[in-house]
Amino acid sequence: MSVPQKAAVKSEPDVACKPKPLYANFSANASRSEIYDFYQEELKRRETNKNKEERPIIDEEDDEGDEETQCTAKGEDWYWQDSSEEEEAPASAEPSGLRNFTYKKHDISQLAHAVKMMERAVVQNIHGDITDDFLYFEDPADEFRGEKGTLLPLWKFQYDKAKGLSVTALCWSTEYNDLFAVGLGSYGYTHEDRVGMLLFYTRKMHTYPEFIFNTDSGVMCIDIHKQLSHLVAVGLNNGCVAVYSLLEKSKQPIYKSTASAGKHKGPVMQVKWQEDHLDSNHNFISVSADGRVGSWTLREHELVFTDIIKLPATDKVPDDLKDVIATAGTSLDVHKQYDCFFLVASQSGTIYKGSKFISSTFLEEYDAHFLMSVKCVRWNPFYSNVFVSCGLDWMVKIWDERIKSPVFTFDLRADVTDVAWAPYSSTVFAAITTDRKVHVFDLSVNKYEALCQQIVVSRKKRPVKIEFNPVHPIIIVGDDRGHVISLKLSPNLRKKPKDKKGHELPSGPEVEIAKMEQLLSLVR
Amino acid sequence: MAETGDGKKEDADYKRLQSFPLIRHTDMAEEMRVETMELCVTACEKFASNNENAAKMIKESMDKKFGSSWHVVIGEGFGFEVTHEVKNLLYMFFGGSLAVCVWKCS
């Protein structure tokens, strides 16, 4: 029996059930030159993309988001699209009041300089009368007023972005005597400290600041370097210090200290530039509310901090807490002749004279303002042994550094927030009080009362800082609303000393020193 | 002599600057594109001196991953016209002078 052979069934080859695929043709040429060109295009495209990201685009155009098209069933081409349609955002012109241009393809920043000049010219034309007053007005009524003088209000400097900030520091530039710096911050508690600003105004254009720097913490003090007027040291509310250079295009400080260990733990109340070290590194000293006086040196890429001295704790503090509770320093001034001596004023009412090189103790102590905070202390610009101090005990006191008690005392009936010597006379100084008045004294004319007591700010504001212009007879007063006003001193406040014959003596530092010497000898 | 020396340096320079892989044309889906591109780069770097071996590696991997049958051409100077399955073509540059064309057509 034969087993029927099963017929070999050839299984049919698998017929694919998927749809027949679509085909397309594609052709290209691959050569060195083509490859090179394509790479160049790609690099260029990446450059412009990077630039576009960095510079703020004023006109929001349709973005080039259609570069990456989704692959459609038709097999759309996917390649980097040529960016010939992009709008270029040119470098924004120096901010001026006329900022709302729409930026088109052409770079408008070349107009910036011309526009700035125009703006200045227009502002000076509109307010020409103020400039005339500043230059020529000498109050004729002074003749009939006896010794008294007045202050003539000139320009008002306001910046609308500075709302809610108080003026905390003023500083004139020595090289450009129409330029001054205003520091804006807050005198409140640390948690209220949000932002700060550093503005530079020139009296030639009072409507808008020349330079604007925003800081992340309130500015508490400023000092402009005497020789290199582009270097500005700034102390901030969070204990950091920064050095700005006005030559830099970017609005960032060239040096900034970080809040790391060993630095100031409280708001920096005063900074003062010092003579360069022997290795020609710039340096400045600072005092802060944590009671330490330190020196900062500008090295290559960093700010180096060295402790100079710490303010001693007050007697009220119990012994075991003496290291912890600091006496806040409120003001600092460097001796005009000997750079290494400085005066520090403390919140406990004492003024200390110290030396940069002695870190264990102070050289002298002056019980200045009976347990109330000393607001400001300044050396006399001519007679280098004399300094003035003002405090919240309503007093302004003149001291000779060799004598423990004040030489002159003035009671101004209200908290005195700032005092400044006049740069043209060794016996003239001005003080501002919280009752909105400026008091100007001239000790060679009247040893007991002010020659001028004038209200300078409106009712809701309080003056906070005062500075004399180094050259012109004007003062600037900053108030707690962020406004600065400038006032011109009337002739009676700028009297030159007369010699025996009644002629005016030539004004020079020796004359001023002699004047002061005479005054002091009278009192002793 | 100095000129050719300079020329060579320029060559080397821009090769360094431009050795990133650059896709010239493709219609692949995102995932496939990325994978294929990486594969090509790996192969070209591995067989920098031998285009044939690089192409061989690419073709075999593509066949395994995405099905038959794939074709690969690597070179510095060639023109081509190919018929390819839709959504299965990749044409890219690499290393400043190398062009790689990968397509599927059974």
Side-chain angles (χ1 to χ4, degrees):
Chain A
M1 259 211 282
S2 61
V3 178
Q5 293 277 11
K6 254 198 191 149
V9 177
K10 238 191 226 155
S11 54
E12 290 211 346
D14 261 356
V15 179
C17 286
K18 55 181 181 200
K20 199 157 183 225
L22 296 166
Y23 287 107
N25 277 3
F26 175 67
S27 64
N29 216 339
S31 68
R32 285 292 287 272
S33 55
E34 209 204 276
I35 298 179
Y36 181 73
D37 286 341
F38 196 64
Y39 268 104
Q40 292 300 88
E41 263 176 46
E42 170 66 16
L43 284 174
K44 220 189 318 175
R45 217 192 50 83
R46 287 191 182 179
E47 271 299 313
T48 49
N49 263 353
K50 217 186 350 167
N51 282 346
K52 238 186 359 167
E53 275 170 26
E54 283 175 1
R55 285 188 251 147
I57 302 182
I58 309 291
D59 271 347
E60 281 295 331
E61 294 292 330
D62 292 337
D63 60 356
E64 274 72 3
D66 40 328
E67 284 163 357
E68 295 188 62
T69 56
Q70 290 293 22
C71 291
T72 65
K74 290 207 204 106
E76 213 160 55
D77 278 356
W78 183 94
Y79 60 92
W80 298 107
Q81 280 198 1
D82 228 340
S83 47
S84 53
E85 291 307 301
E86 321 180 39
E87 298 280 273
E88 285 207 16
S92 54
E94 269 301 301
S96 74
L98 325 162
R99 250 175 314 159
N100 296 323
F101 290 155
T102 48
Y103 289 98
K104 293 295 178 201
K105 280 195 187 187
H106 304 292
D107 199 4
I108 218 169
S109 61
Q110 293 143 342
L111 274 186
H113 189 65
V115 165
K116 203 164 147 174
M117 307 252 74
M118 272 297 294
E119 201 185 356
R120 267 205 195 186
V122 166
V123 164
Q124 283 182 13
N125 279 344
I126 298 177
H127 302 279
D129 46 356
I130 304 185
T131 318
D132 284 341
D133 278 345
F134 158 71
L135 289 171
Y136 308 120
F137 183 75
E138 306 289 353
D139 197 349
D142 263 13
E143 270 179 77
F144 310 107
R145 260 198 278 255
E147 331 173 298
K148 306 274 179 200
T150 50
L151 299 168
L152 175 73
L154 293 173
W155 298 281
K156 240 193 244 200
F157 302 88
Q158 300 174 353
Y159 182 44
D160 50 0
K161 289 233 173 77
K163 279 221 167 72
L165 294 172
S166 158
V167 171
T168 51
L170 292 172
C171 188
W172 285 97
S173 162
T174 38
E175 207 182 309
Y176 300 101
N177 39 39
D178 59 320
L179 186 70
F180 64 91
V182 179
L184 293 157
S186 77
Y187 279 121
Y189 294 105
T190 324
H191 65 265
E192 291 169 354
D193 168 44
R194 299 164 289 118
V195 288
M197 277 195 210
L198 176 64
L199 304 174
F200 283 81
Y201 281 100
T202 164
R203 63 163 172 82
K204 294 181 184 156
M205 201 176 91
H206 63 278
T207 45
Y208 202 83
E210 289 295 303
F211 300 99
I212 304 172
F213 298 94
N214 285 301
T215 59
D216 48 5
S217 167
V219 171
M220 296 304 286
C221 53
I222 306 179
D223 194 26
I224 303 183
H225 200 279
K226 295 283 173 298
Q227 284 86 35
L228 304 164
S229 323
H230 61 95
L231 283 181
V232 183
V234 165
L236 302 174
N237 208 335
N238 57 8
C240 292
V241 296
V243 177
Y244 285 85
S245 165
L246 295 179
L247 297 175
E248 286 281 309
K249 284 281 187 309
S250 81
K251 295 301 185 177
Q252 294 302 315
I254 47 175
Y255 293 93
K256 187 151 197 280
S257 80
T258 50
S260 57
K263 313 271 172 73
H264 286 304
K265 294 196 206 82
V268 180
M269 299 306 288
Q270 190 73 281
V271 285
K272 285 279 175 199
W273 284 104
Q274 299 237 283
E275 300 277 330
D276 288 352
H277 285 154
L278 290 171
D279 52 0
S280 69
N281 279 338
H282 306 301
N283 62 335
F284 58 92
I285 55 175
S286 66
V287 69
S288 93
D290 67 354
R292 286 157 71 188
V293 180
S295 148
W296 301 81
T297 315
L298 272 56
R299 295 263 173 78
E300 271 287 326
H301 296 292
E302 48 170 2
L303 268 179
V304 180
F305 177 73
T306 43
D307 241 322
I308 296 181
I309 194 163
K310 194 169 146 89
L311 287 174
T314 50
D315 292 329
K316 282 197 280 185
V317 176
D319 277 329
D320 45 350
L321 288 174
K322 272 210 157 72
D323 280 330
V324 178
I325 298 185
T327 328
T330 50
S331 183
L332 176 82
D333 199 12
V334 178
H335 197 275
K336 297 289 182 258
Q337 241 182 334
Y338 303 111
D339 199 50
C340 53
F341 293 125
F342 58 86
L343 284 174
V344 186
S346 77
Q347 212 174 33
S348 59
T350 329
I351 300 181
Y352 300 93
K353 175 170 137 197
S355 156
K356 247 190 350 178
F357 303 115
I358 305 176
S359 53
S360 50
T361 123
F362 283 102
L363 299 170
E364 289 280 357
E365 242 181 65
Y366 308 91
D367 259 322
H369 295 267
F370 190 65
L371 297 179
M372 304 281 285
S373 175
V374 183
K375 279 307 235 174
C376 186
V377 65
R378 290 203 215 212
W379 289 104
N380 188 307
F382 294 100
Y383 196 79
S384 38
N385 293 342
V386 166
F387 62 91
V388 67
S389 74
C390 72
L392 295 181
D393 63 346
W394 298 2
M395 302 293 189
V396 172
K397 300 192 181 178
I398 313 263
W399 306 75
D400 181 327
E401 63 168 350
R402 299 162 286 201
I403 307 177
K404 282 289 188 174
S405 61
V407 178
F408 292 100
T409 314
F410 302 96
D411 183 348
L412 298 183
R413 313 281 173 86
D415 283 352
V416 188
T417 44
D418 202 8
V419 69
W421 288 104
Y424 53 82
S425 163
S426 62
T427 49
V428 174
F429 64 92
I432 44 173
T433 54
T434 46
D435 62 353
R436 299 146 42 212
K437 287 201 188 133
V438 173
H439 307 253
V440 182
F441 289 81
D442 186 345
L443 295 172
S444 55
V445 171
N446 189 325
K447 284 200 284 292
Y448 306 105
E449 333 180 280
L451 296 189
C452 168
Q453 287 181 351
Q454 186 171 328
I455 297 185
V456 292
V457 289
S458 59
R459 212 166 310 160
K460 299 218 185 100
K461 300 193 259 187
R462 275 206 246 150
V464 183
K465 285 280 168 189
I466 186 171
E467 283 288 339
F468 278 84
N469 183 310
V471 168
H472 303 291
I474 54 176
I475 53 173
I476 43 172
V477 174
D479 65 24
D480 63 348
R481 291 298 170 92
H483 302 158
V484 178
I485 50 169
S486 59
L487 303 135
K488 183 168 178 180
L489 299 155
S490 72
N492 269 353
L493 304 172
R494 289 145 37 203
K495 277 232 182 84
K496 298 271 191 297
K498 291 202 162 52
D499 70 356
K500 291 196 194 69
K501 295 205 188 116
H503 298 301
E504 282 200 4
L505 281 172
S507 54
E510 309 83 24
V511 174
E512 302 295 337
I513 296 178
K515 218 177 12 157
M516 197 48 150
E517 191 54 65
Q518 206 184 16
L519 256 178
L520 291 175
S521 61
L522 278 177
V523 182
R524 281 189 223 124
Chain B
M1 272 297 131
E3 275 183 12
T4 51
D6 275 346
K8 284 206 185 116
K9 210 167 59 149
E10 254 177 47
D11 255 354
D13 258 350
Y14 89 76
K15 267 204 187 147
R16 255 186 290 124
L17 284 171
Q18 305 174 336
S19 7
F20 55 92
L22 185 57
I23 294 185
R24 176 68 171 84
H25 177 253
T26 184
D27 59 357
M28 283 182 176
E30 170 82 34
E31 262 186 43
M32 189 195 237
R33 181 203 328 144
V34 164
E35 236 184 285
T36 313
M37 193 169 96
E38 279 183 12
L39 172 65
C40 291
V41 169
T42 316
C44 291
E45 282 177 346
K46 189 160 175 204
F47 299 104
S49 50
N50 193 338
N51 287 342
E52 186 194 338
N53 286 350
K56 197 178 275 186
M57 174 177 161
I58 296 176
K59 182 242 177 2
E60 282 169 356
S61 315
M62 296 297 280
D63 276 349
K64 247 190 292 185
K65 274 190 242 179
F66 302 108
S68 72
S69 72
W70 285 85
H71 313 268
V72 181
V73 182
I74 304 185
E76 290 183 16
F78 58 94
F80 60 94
E81 158 118 26
V82 299
T83 305
H84 66 95
E85 260 183 46
V86 164
K87 305 213 14 180
N88 286 284
L89 170 83
L90 175 78
Y91 176 40
M92 61 178 275
F93 298 145
F94 175 69
S97 65
L98 215 54
V100 179
C101 188
V102 180
W103 73 96
K104 179 174 187 190
C105 181
S106 31

